[in-house]
Amino acid sequence: QVQLVESGGGLVEPGGSLKLSCAVSGVTWDAYAIGWFRQAPGKEREGVSCITSTGRNRYYSEAAKDRFAISIDRSSNTVDLQMNSLDPEDTAVYYCAVGLPLGLPIATMCRPGNFGSWGQGTQVTVSS
């Protein structure tokens, strides 16, 4: 059974940084995708960044591009999301998820409906 546990959320001032980590266990596929998604109050869940299990392909949403960086450590089975220059608009619950690649480009893959296993989420609040 796939299990994902997020950590690293919290309260940060605008312009600050946070690093989210996702501990992944129970994945038996040789190749898969891991994504970070977020959901703000009253909004739909959206893809922030996704990466293939090889680390070869990455995707960033327009909101995340140039500010966030996703990385995978296969030795520890963790996926990190380094978030810099945070803005109040980044306030949301952040979730990591695992899914089969489905033969899709990573940009197309990085949508909530393509991922079947989810963590419990971690709150990120950007406020002064």
Side-chain angles (χ1 to χ4, degrees), residues 5-51:
V5 179
E6 301 100 334
S7 61
L11 173 65
V12 63
E13 292 187 349
S17 298
L18 278 177
K19 185 168 82 170
L20 306 182
S21 292
C22 176
V24 182
S25 62
V27 176
T28 58
W29 312 311
D30 291 333
Y32 53 94
I34 309 101
W36 280 99
F37 300 82
R38 68 186 183 186
Q39 189 164 18
K43 294 188 177 181
E44 292 187 357
R45 193 169 296 188
E46 62 176 357
V48 176
S49 182
C50 292
I51 190 169

Side-chain angles (χ1 to χ4, degrees), residues 56-76:
R56 194 170 299 147
N57 297 300
R58 292 174 170 82
Y59 163 80
Y60 297 97
S61 68
E62 284 300 315
K65 202 174 293 184
D66 299 326
R67 297 189 301 132
F68 296 1
I70 192 169
S71 60
I72 183 170
D73 184 339
R74 292 297 301 268
S75 63
S76 60

